[in-house]
């Protein structure tokens, strides 16, 4: 009968693990931890319960947030014994455990979830809470949502913390104060015109024209009540107009040279005396000296006049206000072949060189480059060969990467997807409880009760829950055997033993509870010899009459009700 009962349990649990269709949607986790603090770890995501529990090592959270196991039924560890619920005198302390897994009712001794035992409170002289500390400063000095806190300490020694009932910390709202508005600068105005049109470098102290721009402390303006801070910094900026050309310098004649020989290389020859326009010479587009540079007698044909460059113009504005990625802004300036222009008849030579210049605006700041996501990678292979797993796809903020104060890419750099192999994971076997010991018998002696003949007895257990090619239970011994003496109903000499330890408190539905202890009437087995064996059965024992108590009971104060009561 015991074997049939065990097989029925096995069949029920296998059906639960294999074929039950669940429609409940749960949060699935890769690990279930049944230790002192039961937790579900490594979240996979939301899915049907039957998909999650294809792996018996997984766990899931129900709608109440409690963590459950996908595996066969298993007990959590016992919690630590609680503090004695009486500070001074008799009380009780308790501990609990819980059965987790599919088929929870199959846990051994399924009703044994709470244990209670007697304790004696030794905190008769404790003082409890100390005085409250002073309030902390408010979390913010103005506006709403400000709070302040204070704490107090428990002056009780360890083991007497029940003397401190209530919160360790208090929080309250602070009064609402209007926040000051601190001033903020408006944007800069455009640059005003330069104070001059060119740079005068003919003086010892070179004079460079400048320009100005302004801003105002009005975005926002500082409040008056309560007073806000004025904007830090200057409201006016000066800048040298260093890009302006130098001021033209007009030429002035030097002294006449002695007359020279006549030249007849073209037209009428000349006998001339010359002077130079070098006192000072013209610079930066300044006017050449007025008048002739020579005194001559004329020739019949004029000489050609070669062209000469004017001064360079001012630099134009840069083609951009900042340096974009991959290219540099430029600016240009120009000059003309007009100082003088080449004659046309006879033809003079054109000016040598370029009539324009360009340069990179390397002095500008770099333009901000905001980050942009690259493409998502392919999802990684499914990391499991049975049950469900989590695939990952990633992308990088590199198309382009943020530079020069640019913003990071918004959003996440990875995404996940649940993969389902649709293959149930192996469910390893777990041993059932041992059956009761069989009758103590001898293979060749029909009756050994009350005899010194040593017999033997057996008990069995079964490997339950194994499915989907899971591992069989360790230690393949299905049967346990021991030597025994059958003493059932045998009359024996006996003597009183010492008091046994107090039992745990026996709980009830009405809240009354008690514990007991007794002095055992121990039979005398000395005539059975020294061969190792277990004495099986309950003998008839008669101990000498004693005026002392042989059993004691004691009420368990403040014990809880039996949790299995309706």
């Amino acid at each position: 009968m015991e074997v049939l009962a065990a097989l029925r349990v096995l069949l029920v649990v296998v059906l639960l693990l294999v074929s039950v269709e669940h429609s409940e949607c749960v949060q699935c986790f890769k690990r279930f931890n049944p230790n002192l603090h039961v937790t579900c770890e490594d979240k996979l995501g939301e899915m049907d319960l039957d998909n999650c529990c294809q792996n018996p090592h997984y766990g899931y959270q129900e709608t109440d947030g409690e963590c459950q196991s996908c595996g066969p039924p298993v007990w959590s560890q016992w919690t630590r014994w609680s503090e004695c619920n009486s500070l001074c005198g008799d009380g009780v302390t308790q501990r609990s455990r819980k059965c987790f897994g599919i088929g929870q009712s199959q846990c051994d001794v399924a009703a044994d979830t709470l244990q209670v035992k007697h304790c004696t409170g030794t905190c008769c002289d404790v003082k409890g809470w100390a005085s409250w500390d002073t309030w902390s400063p408010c979390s913010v000095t103005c506006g709403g949502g400000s709070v302040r806190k204070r704490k107090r300490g428990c002056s009780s020694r360890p083991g007497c913390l029940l003397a401190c009932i209530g919160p360790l910390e208090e929080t309250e709202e602070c009064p609402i104060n209007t926040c000051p508005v601190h001033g903020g600068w408006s944007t800069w105005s455009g640059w005003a015109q330069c104070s001059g049109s060119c740079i005068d470098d003919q003086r010892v102290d070179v004079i460079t024209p400048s320009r100005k721009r302004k801003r105002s402390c009005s975005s926002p303006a500082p409040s008056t009540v309560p007073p806000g801070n004025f904007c830090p910094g200057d409201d006016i900026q000066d800048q040298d107009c260093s890009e302006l050309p130098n001021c033209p310098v007009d030429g002035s004649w030097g002294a006449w040279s002695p007359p020279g020989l006549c030249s007849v290389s073209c037209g009428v020859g000349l006998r001339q005396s010359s002077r130079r326009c070098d006192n000072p010479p013209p610079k930066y587009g300044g006017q050449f000296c007025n008048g002739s540079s020579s005194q001559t007698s004329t020739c019949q044909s004029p000489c050609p006049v070669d062209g000469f460059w004017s001064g360079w113009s001012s630099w134009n504005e840069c083609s951009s206000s900042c340096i974009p990625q991959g290219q540099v802004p430029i600016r240009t300036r120009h000059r003309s072949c007009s100082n003088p222009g080449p004659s046309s008849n006879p033809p003079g030579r054109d000016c040598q060189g370029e009539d324009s210049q360009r340069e990179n605006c390397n002095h500008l700041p770099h333009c901000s480059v905001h980050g942009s996501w690259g493409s998502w990678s392919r999802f990684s292979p499914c990391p499991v060969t049975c049950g469900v797993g989590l695939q990952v796809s990633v992308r990088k903020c590199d198309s382009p990467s943020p530079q020069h104060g640019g913003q990071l890419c918004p959003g996440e750099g990875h995404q996940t997807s649940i993969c389902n192999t649709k293959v149930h994971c192996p469910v390893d076997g777990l041993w059932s409880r041992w059956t009761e010991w069989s009758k103590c018998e001898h293979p060749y002696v029909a009756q050994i009760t009350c005899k010194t003949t040593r017999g033997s007895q057996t008990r069995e257990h079964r490997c339950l829950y194994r499915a989907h090619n899971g591992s069989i239970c360790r230690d393949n011994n299905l049967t346990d055997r021991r030597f025994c003496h059958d003493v059932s109903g045998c009359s024996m000499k006996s003597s009183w033993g010492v008091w046994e330890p107090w039992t745990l408190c026996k709980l009830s539905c009405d809240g009354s509870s008690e514990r007991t202890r007794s002095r055992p009437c121990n039979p005398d087995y000395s005539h059975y010899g020294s061969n190792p064996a277990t004495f099986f059965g309950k003998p008839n024992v008669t101990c000498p009459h004693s005026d002392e108590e042989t059993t004691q009971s004691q009420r368990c104060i403040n014990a809880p009700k039996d949790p299995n009561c309706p």
Side-chain angles (χ1 to χ4, degrees), residues 373-441:
W373 289 111
S375 300
W376 285 105
S377 69
R378 292 183 179 180
F379 277 100
S380 60
C382 194
V384 295
T385 57
C386 63
V388 293
L390 207 60
Q391 296 172 286
V392 179
S393 174
V394 298
R395 58 179 178 175
K396 295 183 179 180
C397 187
D398 59 0
S399 294
S401 302
Q403 297 182 50
H404 312 301
Q407 297 177 357
L408 294 172
C409 298
E412 296 295 332
H414 73 280
Q415 60 183 358
T416 58
S417 175
I418 295 172
C419 54
N420 189 347
T421 64
K422 297 184 179 179
V423 175
H424 203 292
C425 294
V427 181
D428 297 334
L430 293 177
W431 286 115
S432 68
R433 290 172 55 192
W434 287 102
T435 62
E436 298 294 333
W437 287 102
S438 65
K439 185 179 180 181
C440 186
E441 297 176 318

Side-chain angles (χ1 to χ4, degrees), residues 230-246:
F230 196 77
C231 302
D234 299 322
D235 60 352
I236 296 177
Q237 270 188 346
D238 290 305
Q239 185 184 64
D240 288 340
C241 298
S242 57
E243 76 277 7
L244 293 176
N246 294 88

Side-chain angles (χ1 to χ4, degrees), residues 256-262 270-274 295-296:
W256 287 101
S257 67
L261 299 175
C262 182
L270 298 176
R271 180 180 175 83
Q272 63 182 9
S273 176
S274 62
Q295 295 175 343
T296 64

Side-chain angles (χ1 to χ4, degrees), residues 243-245 310-316 332-336 355:
E243 76 277 7
L244 293 176
S310 66
W312 287 104
S313 67
S314 301
W315 286 105
N316 296 334
T332 59
R333 64 177 181 175
H334 301 273
R335 62 180 178 176
S336 62
D355 63 351

Side-chain angles (χ1 to χ4, degrees), residues 2-7 9-10 108 429-438 458-465 472-481:
E2 292 173 343
V3 173
L4 289 175
L7 289 175
V9 170
L10 173 62
D108 295 342
L430 293 177
W431 286 115
S432 68
R433 290 172 55 192
W434 287 102
T435 62
E436 298 294 333
W437 287 102
S438 65
T458 60
R459 61 178 181 176
E460 297 177 348
H461 64 174
R462 293 289 179 267
C463 185
L464 305 180
Y465 314 127
I472 63 174
C473 301
R474 295 182 179 179
D475 182 4
N476 295 327
N477 294 327
L478 299 177
T479 303
D480 186 19
R481 182 182 300 273

